[in-house]
Amino acid sequence: MTIVLDQRSDQSLAVYIDGDLQFDSRDEGVYHELLALPALALAQARRPKRQLRALICGGGDGFVARELLKSSAIKQIDLVDYDPTILDLAQNEWPELNQHAMTNPRLKIHICDAVQFVDQAAQAADEYDLIICDFTVPRDQVGARLQSIDWYQQLAYILHPQGVIAVNAASPSQTPVAYWMIYNSIRTANLNPKPYRFSLPSFTEAGYGDDWGFFVGSRKAFRPREFDYLPLAEPREFLHDSEQLKRAFAFPSALAEKRTTAQPTKLASDALLHSLFAPTWDEASGTDWTSLDFVHDPAPLPKPHTSATLMPNAVQQALQADQGLDESQVFEQVVQVMPALRAEQTRSMVSEFIANPLRFLNSLDLRRLVEALLRRSRELPRKLVAELRLLRRHLQRTWENPQLLLSRGLRIVSVIALVIILANLLHPDTTYAKGDTSAGSGATSSQSMVRTNSPYDVVQAPPSTVEGRGFSSGTYGRGSVIDEYGSAYPTRRYRYYGSYYGGSSYRNYNRNQRPSEDPNEGDALYRLTPETDILANGEVVISLTDQSYLLLADQVMTVVDAEDGLPIVFLKRDEALVWRTHRELDRQRRGLDGSVKAKQDWIDWVSWAGFVPWRNDDEAELNNIVQTRGTLDQAIKSLGSIPANQPAIRVAPTAGGFQLFSSVWMNAEGTLAILEQPDGSKAYLNKTGWYSDSGLTQPLSEPYPDEFRTKVLIPFLSKQTTEYAAIKQRIEADLTSVKSDLSLLNSDKTEYTSIQRSYGPSDIVEYGTTEIRVDEALRRTNDDIARTEQLIQVLNDQLSSLPKQDNAAKKFLQSLK
Amino acid sequence: MQVAILPQLTIASELGQQWEALVQANPAGGVMQSLAWSQFKQQRDLQVVHFGLFDAEQLIGGMLCTIPAQSGVGSNLIAADGPILPWHDQALARQGLRLLREAAEQHAAEYGAIGLRIEPRLERPAPNLLRDWRRAPVDILARETLYLDLQPDEQSLLAAMKPKGRYNIRLAARRGVTVRISHDVADIPLFYRLMDEAGERDDFYVEPIDHFNDLLATLAPLGHAHLLFAEYAGQTLGTMLLVTYGQRAVYQYGGISNQLREQMAGYALQWAAIQHGKRLGCRCYDFYGFEPTGDPHHPFAGFSRFKRAFGGQAIALIGAYDYYFTEQLADVIIRAVRELA
């Protein structure tokens, strides 16, 4: 067990156990009052004159004990925790925080395993009036047994029939299936649980969900009126009264509905862990269902999940589903449902990890495996044996590309790939691996040339709510720029003269007369795409080079000098770019709308509690999102009229020319740039002049915009040619490396061939670290050669698909310098 | 030659010292084969299996493997930075690797292993003796990296850097950025906050906080792990976890805050780490991840531009290689198929 103490500069303390936040001194009182006091009050109300015996399982920090000791009705508490370190810290380091509970004579500490302790209590026919389970959320099978039916049955055995149990569970909105699995396990043990929840800022900040859930239960089911006028022990810091507490029992009905299918779990089941590791981030706010409306839950109780399975449940279902024989679809399905297998993994990590299943199939000798499986065909279903035979035939001919194998519709190939994937996912080192994960020699360069001026053409669903901390950061709007996910990046700084760009005022700009006032200067506020920023006043700017940017406005596009904020040239609006930018702005604006609503609902939901100390932060974040959303409105307005339909991408004005960025092209020969001016006329520009005709005979009367050459074209083309050169160099380096592999393979082949010729096919030779017949070594070497040649083919294809304008760009760049 | 499973060795024991000396002397080895690392991994709930390779009762190599405990499904024994073999002698290395693989396969059932993954720090191309192994889908180490030779004096190191690197190191110093070196686990939360910020910004996954706590708590007392913090006017602008072991210092983790990036804290940190590695007698500084050609689409593209400023030599390692134990793998597949039936 690893304990990390985070003593902050404001003197608050956060404690992590095995990476999970155990408590944060700023709000641990909320958690412990809510966990302990309702159960204590219910137990006291049921047996008002009795001196109560309590058992705390876990809770070695002493905080639950602190709460229980507030009541004089508590005669004795047994506290069971297996970790002496936390008990020692509680006693010696945090006595002020737990109000010396650990040395209170009414408390007896037992350093041992809770299951063992409860077993012994059952054998001794001990009985408790109150049991509080304050365990951390399970991260492994050992922890999960403390949320199983078996555990709760044991507890029911030592709980007085009128006694009360309270349980720390999980986040109902973030891991609803897990939360209701625990609920149904407690139900199965006949402990009649009532679910309740509240918001805990430190847990939310640590990523544990917007709400946190508990259960209170008893062998004798609670009547709703028992929750009226509860004698809550005092003093209390956060929990006000029964009315406030009763609101904690309300849930959105969609969330409560999930209890009808969440399976309770037996000791050996791993289903709870899989659900805990697979958050779904359901909507937390909503109060239209409450468990205080009934005595016994009328919802059906699903059958228990009993044993650990090799394949996670969801994966089994996806594999079993009858979807014809299209393996690619089966695999897609599996990738979507594959749960995390370890506490530290997230769904997105897992999805990324298994996005390319081929690399897993490539890592084993499939032919050897198929032979081994066929030797054990009696243990396999007939259909799969037939598949294996078919697979063997494919594999016997020559090396077969795993891509083809997956597409042949063999279910067994999916199973094999999955087993290898699971084996990899289980090892914690692999999901955090630092190396790149390419198969073969590392030919990962995708060569998808992203044009620097285009907002992404991919239309995706907006994120359901912002997750990053950018909007809630104290430095919002200063020094960092935020994207739709709320992630913050170092900002780019812009200088500009707003008065020149909007409407038709650009016509008044006199290049020969520098403005007397200083330019406006500001950071970008919002990042629309990696190249596109939105300024605080709603201007849309696209970074072209370090020295220049493109500003979109209602009538023209302006290439602006980033240093002095002055226009370099005005260009005709690229309607296709405007249309794409508008679509992206609108999409992200809708995303922010969703975030605003979620945040508002959230603030409404938690506001009743009154004990959420950071409500101001939430409101600041909401304000920042609302402000950003307003800026996106302004940005859309700044674009002026938007074409109704997607305009076609414009073709180069000269045959074979290449677009450099919107409204600017280079001719095929790489001798001049062509600019489309606001009135639609073309300007042809080379190193020394610009002209109205491509023959460069009619000079334009406007002064030659030398900054366009020095601050736009030269750095733009330099970056582009450097990048192309780097990509080319990368592929060539990969090619060299793969070719050296091939040459080693060919020399092996020559050697094996000569041995076979001299000594026959059954002669034994060294093949790596094994010794095999030479004919087999030769066959495997031929497979390896085929695989390597295919890789060479892929790399050559990548080389030949590199943009053709590279030569023209290099030539043009040379002529411009 | 023969292979034996070794008991848990302490660094003070004679065999432990022999093992450490072998790992530190082997250029294809690294800290992940050290006894300290194995302690760290045990702390992280992994089983560690130590195979020793003996010649006439003399320990000449071996491998420290990790595997998840009670995996149920079956997982791989992983020997990152290993195995430790006389790689320069192909025939000996072949024989040694074969014995290690056979021993791992023989004991596979005890550990729930279905395969063995190795990842020696050998430069490409892969030696012929790995012909019956396959490229693994994942590399634990940064397979393409940048090594800086720490043997020249500091002035020569600075002189060999790109002008931008040299300039920014001096700029950070002039502006008053200082670097504090710590071995105190109490600094882990501060380190983690910066790592987390960088992870969110640059879109990479950061291990849980207790991973770093355990790493520092196990390796720092032995002088192998160091936290560096770049500080400026009372603020912490960046951090790094430097691992030094044998001849090599490795820039294992790091993160720079979004604030005050113009203070060049990243340069100050790297230079301090290089100097610290040198002071501790390391001969090589590993930048741990580098794309040499400047390919803008490569996942390492962003930080490689920064690292390039320090000079050094681009290194392409062979990466990780897998060998699956066919019978054990078949067992698991048959179990999986039966679950589906």
Side-chain angles (χ1 to χ4, degrees):
Chain A
M1 177 183 285
T2 304
I3 300 176
V4 178
L5 307 179
D6 185 6
Q7 185 85 53
R8 304 195 190 88
S9 52
D10 63 358
Q11 295 312 307
S12 66
L13 171 73
V15 174
Y16 296 83
I17 295 184
D18 290 335
D20 284 335
L21 179 66
Q22 174 80 0
F23 70 82
D24 183 323
S25 63
R26 291 179 293 190
D27 62 4
E28 61 79 16
V30 180
Y31 171 97
H32 291 106
E33 283 186 14
L34 263 288
L35 173 61
L37 296 189
L40 171 62
L42 285 159
Q44 267 181 276
R46 279 185 165 186
R47 307 173 77 201
K49 292 190 183 142
R50 189 179 156 83
Q51 288 283 291
L52 303 175
R53 273 193 85 198
L55 170 65
I56 302 172
C57 299
D61 50 28
F63 297 129
V64 169
R66 175 193 67 198
E67 296 303 319
L68 297 188
L69 288 166
K70 287 175 181 174
S71 166
S72 57
I74 292 287
K75 182 177 72 181
Q76 188 208 324
I77 303 173
D78 286 317
L79 188 156
V80 191
D81 200 307
Y82 77 100
D83 181 29
T85 319
I86 201 92
L87 290 163
D88 180 56
L89 284 166
Q91 191 162 335
N92 299 313
E93 302 291 328
W94 312 325
E96 272 81 41
L97 286 175
N98 60 38
Q99 292 170 12
H100 301 275
M102 306 305 280
T103 47
N104 190 299
R106 286 188 281 163
L107 183 79
K108 199 170 169 195
I109 296 168
H110 306 266
I111 307 175
C112 64
D113 178 57
V115 173
Q116 224 175 17
F117 182 88
V118 171
D119 259 349
Q120 283 165 3
Q123 279 167 29
D126 259 352
E127 202 169 61
Y128 290 91
D129 305 292
L130 182 59
I131 300 176
I132 315 269
C133 295
D134 186 19
F135 297 117
T136 49
V137 172
R139 296 164 62 94
D140 52 28
Q141 201 67 40
V142 178
R145 75 198 164 132
L146 297 169
Q147 296 289 14
S148 66
I149 297 170
D150 310 63
W151 165 248
Y152 289 114
Q153 281 170 338
Q154 263 187 314
L155 290 183
Y157 196 74
I158 59 165
L159 185 68
H160 185 275
Q162 299 221 55
V164 178
I165 176 173
V167 173
N168 170 42
S171 167
S173 66
Q174 182 154 304
T175 49
V177 177
Y179 181 73
W180 295 115
M181 276 178 156
I182 298 171
Y183 175 74
N184 284 331
S185 292
I186 304 175
R187 276 175 82 192
T188 308
N190 291 319
L191 281 170
N192 303 298
K194 293 280 182 206
Y196 66 109
R197 68 196 180 117
F198 61 98
S199 65
L200 193 64
S202 61
F203 276 30
T204 304
E205 194 184 54
Y208 301 160
D210 280 346
D211 55 1
W212 193 255
F214 293 132
F215 300 106
V216 61
S218 175
R219 287 164 65 187
K220 182 182 175 208
F222 295 113
R223 305 203 165 269
R225 65 168 196 285
E226 286 187 76
F227 292 84
D228 298 335
Y229 315 112
L230 277 176
L232 295 165
E234 289 179 339
R236 298 188 305 274
E237 206 178 333
F238 301 101
L239 188 53
H240 305 163
D241 51 33
S242 297
E243 276 317 299
Q244 186 212 33
L245 175 65
K246 278 159 72 176
R247 295 186 65 167
F249 287 77
F251 291 73
S253 52
L255 208 56
E257 190 58 27
K258 298 205 169 177
R259 76 194 190 286
T260 58
T261 49
Q263 284 181 282
T265 53
K266 292 284 287 172
L267 203 60
S269 162
D270 53 1
L272 177 69
L273 285 179
H274 288 156
S275 302
L276 280 169
F277 298 160
T280 55
W281 291 285
D282 284 28
E283 188 54 60
S285 52
T287 54
D288 49 343
W289 180 90
T290 170
S291 60
L292 297 184
D293 280 348
F294 50 77
V295 176
H296 293 282
D297 190 347
L301 184 56
K303 269 194 196 147
H305 190 272
T306 52
S307 59
T309 53
L310 195 145
M311 296 265 181
N313 247 3
V315 171
Q316 282 191 30
Q317 282 161 15
L319 276 174
Q320 281 162 340
D322 183 17
Q323 303 185 37
L325 279 176
D326 187 341
E327 281 303 299
S328 63
Q329 275 181 26
V330 173
F331 236 103
E332 266 173 37
Q333 190 91 358
V334 169
V335 170
Q336 279 166 21
V337 299
M338 175 69 87
L341 300 182
R342 303 185 59 88
E344 68 273 16
Q345 291 168 352
T346 64
R347 281 279 297 125
S348 56
M349 254 166 107
V350 173
S351 306
E352 271 176 42
F353 192 72
I354 59 178
N356 171 16
L358 293 184
R359 60 191 174 117
F360 297 97
L361 276 179
N362 270 324
S363 70
L364 79 158
D365 186 337
L366 204 50
R367 194 186 319 222
R368 207 149 53 97
L369 178 66
V370 168
E371 293 300 339
L373 285 169
L374 279 172
R375 280 197 296 275
R376 297 170 62 174
S377 55
R378 259 188 251 161
E379 299 171 59
L380 287 164
R382 223 181 275 169
K383 182 169 169 295
L384 283 190
V385 174
E387 280 194 3
L388 278 169
R389 291 203 176 110
L390 189 62
L391 185 57
R392 177 164 64 180
R393 273 210 299 284
H394 286 310
L395 292 169
Q396 265 166 356
R397 278 201 300 273
T398 174
W399 172 70
E400 183 128 25
N401 184 344
Q403 178 81 60
L404 290 175
L405 283 180
L406 267 179
S407 66
R408 281 193 198 280
L410 300 176
R411 191 60 47 110
I412 187 72
V413 180
S414 287
V415 176
I416 292 169
L418 273 170
V419 166
I420 302 291
I421 287 170
L422 287 168
N424 274 283
L425 271 177
L426 274 166
H427 203 298
D429 287 352
T430 53
T431 35
Y432 290 105
K434 297 294 177 270
D436 81 64
T437 52
S438 55
S441 75
T444 49
S445 314
S446 64
Q447 283 36 269
S448 62
M449 297 299 173
V450 182
R451 288 227 319 269
T452 56
N453 64 340
S454 52
Y456 287 148
D457 256 353
V458 185
V459 176
Q460 53 197 4
S464 62
T465 180
V466 295
E467 285 170 26
R469 289 174 291 216
F471 286 108
S472 58
S473 155
T475 57
Y476 169 81
R478 286 178 288 129
S480 59
V481 60
I482 295 163
D483 70 3
E484 61 176 324
Y485 296 94
S487 303
Y489 306 87
T491 190
R492 287 186 277 248
R493 205 157 171 76
Y494 294 92
R495 293 186 183 86
Y496 57 100
Y497 289 92
S499 56
Y500 294 128
Y501 316 127
S504 58
S505 54
Y506 74 93
R507 293 180 213 275
N508 305 328
Y509 176 63
N510 182 350
R511 194 178 296 280
N512 295 319
Q513 195 181 342
R514 287 184 72 93
S516 53
E517 75 275 19
D518 286 336
N520 294 324
E521 188 168 353
D523 292 341
L525 182 77
Y526 186 82
R527 181 151 297 175
L528 189 71
T529 74
E531 307 83 21
T532 313
D533 283 338
I534 312 295
L535 307 187
N537 65 357
E539 306 271 23
V540 182
V541 294
I542 297 170
S543 172
L544 291 175
T545 66
D546 287 345
Q547 300 98 314
S548 66
Y549 61 89
L550 187 72
L551 190 142
L552 304 192
D554 54 350
Q555 298 211 5
V556 283
M557 302 191 304
T558 314
V559 177
V560 185
D561 186 326
E563 274 170 55
D564 59 16
L566 288 171
I568 297 175
V569 289
F570 295 104
L571 299 169
K572 185 178 164 67
R573 266 177 35 129
D574 175 354
E575 295 300 325
L577 173 65
V578 170
W579 189 88
R580 284 201 309 274
T581 307
H582 173 263
R583 186 184 56 181
E584 193 59 24
L585 276 166
D586 188 50
R587 183 185 75 71
Q588 297 198 17
R589 186 172 61 167
R590 277 183 283 121
L592 290 183
D593 280 343
S595 294
V596 167
K597 187 181 175 309
K599 202 82 215 161
Q600 187 61 60
D601 287 351
W602 160 247
I603 289 173
D604 290 348
W605 182 66
V606 298
S607 59
W608 61 268
F611 51 52
V612 182
W614 301 338
R615 194 179 149 186
N616 287 346
D617 292 350
D618 278 332
E619 287 186 341
E621 182 178 18
L622 176 64
N623 285 339
N624 288 337
I625 302 174
V626 169
Q627 188 193 331
T628 307
R629 196 220 176 272
T631 309
L632 296 198
D633 280 343
Q634 273 176 289
I636 288 178
K637 220 175 275 166
S638 82
L639 292 178
S641 65
I642 310 297
N645 300 309
Q646 180 169 14
I649 292 186
R650 283 182 297 171
V651 292
T654 57
F658 307 104
Q659 186 176 43
L660 295 180
F661 53 90
S662 283
S663 299
V664 176
W665 295 266
M666 169 181 68
N667 68 347
E669 297 75 28
T671 54
L672 48 85
I674 306 141
L675 284 63
E676 189 165 27
Q677 308 207 79
D679 62 2
S681 64
K682 306 284 186 297
Y684 299 85
L685 182 147
N686 64 11
K687 183 180 179 178
T688 51
W690 62 340
Y691 307 85
S692 62
D693 64 320
S694 59
L696 310 183
T697 60
Q698 306 291 324
L700 286 167
S701 56
E702 288 273 302
Y704 176 77
D706 198 46
E707 289 88 354
F708 192 74
R709 179 181 71 91
T710 56
K711 295 188 171 179
V712 184
L713 285 179
I714 291 179
F716 187 90
L717 290 168
S718 300
K719 182 164 179 270
Q720 206 175 50
T721 49
T722 313
E723 282 186 2
Y724 289 173
I727 291 165
K728 200 170 162 208
Q729 205 188 327
R730 168 89 228 171
I731 302 171
E732 283 169 350
D734 286 345
L735 252 178
T736 310
S737 164
V738 184
K739 281 180 179 167
S740 72
D741 291 344
L742 183 66
S743 117
L744 285 179
L745 285 169
N746 276 323
S747 67
D748 278 1
K749 183 179 174 175
T750 311
E751 198 181 326
Y752 290 142
T753 309
S754 120
I755 291 171
Q756 179 163 297
R757 203 174 294 131
S758 310
Y759 304 101
S762 57
D763 196 56
I764 299 297
V765 291
E766 274 179 340
Y767 177 81
T769 55
T770 36
E771 288 182 349
I772 52 177
R773 281 167 57 111
V774 66
D775 55 350
E776 176 62 11
L778 206 46
R779 185 194 60 72
R780 291 190 196 179
T781 306
N782 282 330
D783 278 4
D784 289 342
I785 288 172
R787 185 180 304 125
T788 311
E789 280 173 343
Q790 201 214 19
L791 200 52
I792 290 174
Q793 182 62 42
V794 168
L795 290 167
N796 275 325
D797 289 351
Q798 286 181 357
L799 262 189
S800 63
S801 70
L802 277 176
K804 305 276 182 289
Q805 73 250 44
D806 193 29
N807 283 337
K810 270 190 207 139
K811 196 174 149 201
F812 190 32
L813 182 62
Q814 215 47 50
S815 78
L816 286 171
K817 280 182 175 169
Chain B
M1 277 197 281
Q2 59 189 26
V3 170
I5 293 191
L6 301 178
Q8 189 169 344
L9 299 180
T10 60
I11 295 166
S13 69
E14 200 187 323
L15 204 54
Q17 282 178 5
Q18 281 177 26
W19 173 254
E20 290 287 299
L22 277 172
V23 178
Q24 294 186 8
N26 195 313
V31 70
M32 294 183 190
Q33 285 296 307
S34 70
L35 296 176
W37 194 266
S38 91
Q39 264 176 42
F40 159 55
K41 286 292 161 185
Q42 280 172 357
Q43 179 87 4
R44 304 297 306 145
D45 287 338
L46 283 168
Q47 292 184 86
V48 175
V49 194
H50 195 171
F51 296 92
L53 181 66
F54 292 84
D55 190 13
E57 294 185 15
Q58 176 68 34
L59 184 68
I60 58 156
M63 59 182 179
L64 268 167
C65 300
T66 58
I67 186 164
Q70 313 162 324
S71 73
V73 176
S75 190
N76 294 318
L77 286 159
I78 297 186
D81 272 340
I84 302 302
L85 286 170
W87 292 103
H88 56 277
D89 183 332
Q90 281 258 346
L92 261 181
R94 188 190 300 271
Q95 200 188 346
L97 184 59
R98 176 181 176 167
L99 289 170
L100 288 171
R101 172 180 61 70
E102 285 171 355
E105 187 160 9
Q106 199 186 333
H107 292 277
E110 287 164 47
Y111 303 105
I114 57 169
L116 172 62
R117 175 170 302 162
I118 58 171
E119 197 171 353
R121 283 180 178 253
L122 295 173
E123 286 186 53
R124 269 158 48 183
N128 167 297
L129 63 96
L130 290 175
R131 283 291 308 283
D132 52 344
W133 296 64
R134 289 291 183 88
R135 270 291 278 133
V138 185
D139 300 321
I140 305 287
L141 306 174
R143 187 168 62 85
E144 292 193 290
T145 187
L146 183 68
Y147 281 176
L148 181 69
D149 180 0
L150 293 182
Q151 295 178 87
D153 61 35
E154 286 187 7
Q155 285 316 311
S156 313
L157 284 177
L158 281 167
M161 287 180 190
K162 299 268 188 300
K164 186 182 173 189
R166 212 162 38 233
Y167 176 78
N168 284 338
I169 287 170
R170 289 178 177 148
L171 185 65
R174 265 205 311 279
R175 289 187 169 169
V177 177
T178 55
V179 175
R180 173 170 70 90
I181 299 179
S182 162
H183 299 96
D184 188 351
V185 287
D187 274 323
I188 285 288
L190 173 63
F191 164 83
Y192 197 71
R193 274 196 285 277
L194 288 158
M195 283 293 294
D196 209 24
E197 184 180 330
E200 190 179 307
R201 180 189 60 230
D202 300 335
D203 207 18
F204 63 87
Y205 296 114
V206 182
E207 286 90 338
I209 188 167
D210 50 335
H211 167 91
F212 298 102
N213 194 83
D214 292 346
L215 196 161
L216 192 72
T218 327
L219 270 69
L222 299 166
H224 299 322
H226 323 266
L227 285 181
L228 281 77
F229 294 100
E231 295 172 336
Y232 169 76
Q235 290 185 69
T236 307
L237 300 184
T239 188
M240 176 197 286
L241 201 160
L242 177 74
V243 173
T244 53
Y245 183 78
Q247 305 171 16
R248 196 177 299 119
V250 183
Y251 162 37
Q252 200 105 9
Y253 299 95
I256 299 292
S257 157
N258 282 341
Q259 311 302 319
L260 298 171
R261 289 176 80 94
E262 67 279 9
Q263 302 301 336
M264 303 297 161
Y267 289 87
L269 273 175
Q270 290 296 340
W271 179 236
I274 289 167
Q275 288 173 306
H276 196 56
K278 220 174 137 42
R279 269 198 300 278
L280 295 173
C282 297
R283 284 196 265 170
C284 163
Y285 183 82
D286 179 2
F287 281 88
Y288 215 51
F290 181 70
E291 198 290 313
T293 65
D295 177 353
H297 305 295
H298 195 279
F300 292 175
F303 56 70
S304 295
R305 273 194 293 275
F306 163 69
K307 292 177 180 176
R308 190 168 293 123
F310 295 92
Q313 193 193 349
I315 299 286
L317 301 174
I318 61 167
Y321 276 74
D322 281 353
Y323 189 102
Y324 279 95
F325 308 140
T326 309
E327 288 310 317
Q328 278 78 4
L329 180 57
D331 275 347
V332 176
I333 287 166
I334 289 169
R335 266 172 61 208
V337 164
R338 282 180 171 171
E339 273 184 5
L340 296 175

